[in-house]
Amino acid sequence: QAQLVESGGGMVQAGGSLSLSCAASGRPFSRYNMAWFRQVPGKEREFLAAVGWSGERIKYDDSVKGRFIISRDNAKSTVDLRLTNLKPEDTAVYYCARQRESYGVPSRTPSQYDSWGRGTQVTVSS
């Protein structure tokens, strides 16, 4: 089972930027699609972005397209999320996740991911 550890969260003013990173260990990182989700209390976990095992096949939710950038480094077993032009509604706990099946097409569905980090808090003030 892979272990995922997020870092880089914090507090920022609206319009600011943050960089999140997720370090993976366990199963061979380069075989699996990776994704970032976020969640606020009382709401379902929300898909943000996914990147295919090779670094291609990138997907974004429309709410973050053009503002967030996902990338991965298979040599370092990390997946990053660059957040720009942040808005107060981006405030949430951000999670990285590893897709259950190796290779294939990145999914937007949380149930397709079987390894999750503990999350990192992002707070955007107005």
Side-chain angles (χ1 to χ4, degrees), residues 6-122:
E6 301 96 340
S7 62
M11 184 176 293
V12 65
Q13 289 188 331
S17 301
L18 282 174
S19 291
L20 308 182
S21 187
C22 173
S25 61
R27 295 184 185 179
F29 180 77
S30 62
R31 297 181 184 178
Y32 296 91
N33 303 324
M34 300 293 295
W36 284 91
F37 294 80
R38 68 186 177 190
Q39 190 169 24
V40 297
K43 293 190 175 181
E44 293 185 354
R45 198 158 291 189
E46 175 187 16
F47 169 80
L48 298 175
V51 58
W53 54 272
S54 67
E56 300 176 347
R57 294 188 173 184
I58 290 176
K59 297 181 178 179
Y60 294 101
D61 185 80
D62 286 345
S63 65
V64 303
K65 191 177 295 183
R67 299 192 299 124
F68 293 4
I69 299 174
I70 190 171
S71 62
R72 67 187 293 161
D73 186 332
N74 285 347
K76 296 180 179 179
S77 298
T78 58
V79 56
D80 296 338
L81 189 68
R82 175 69 174 166
L83 290 62
T84 66
N85 191 22
L86 282 161
K87 306 174 183 180
E89 52 264 41
D90 293 318
T91 296
V93 178
Y94 284 66
Y95 299 90
C96 69
R98 188 208 69 181
Q99 196 159 339
R100 178 178 296 109
E101 300 296 330
S102 59
Y103 303 114
V105 177
S107 173
R108 300 171 181 263
T109 306
S111 63
Q112 295 299 311
Y113 293 80
D114 66 346
S115 293
W116 295 83
R118 291 189 174 186
T120 185
Q121 176 72 44
V122 171

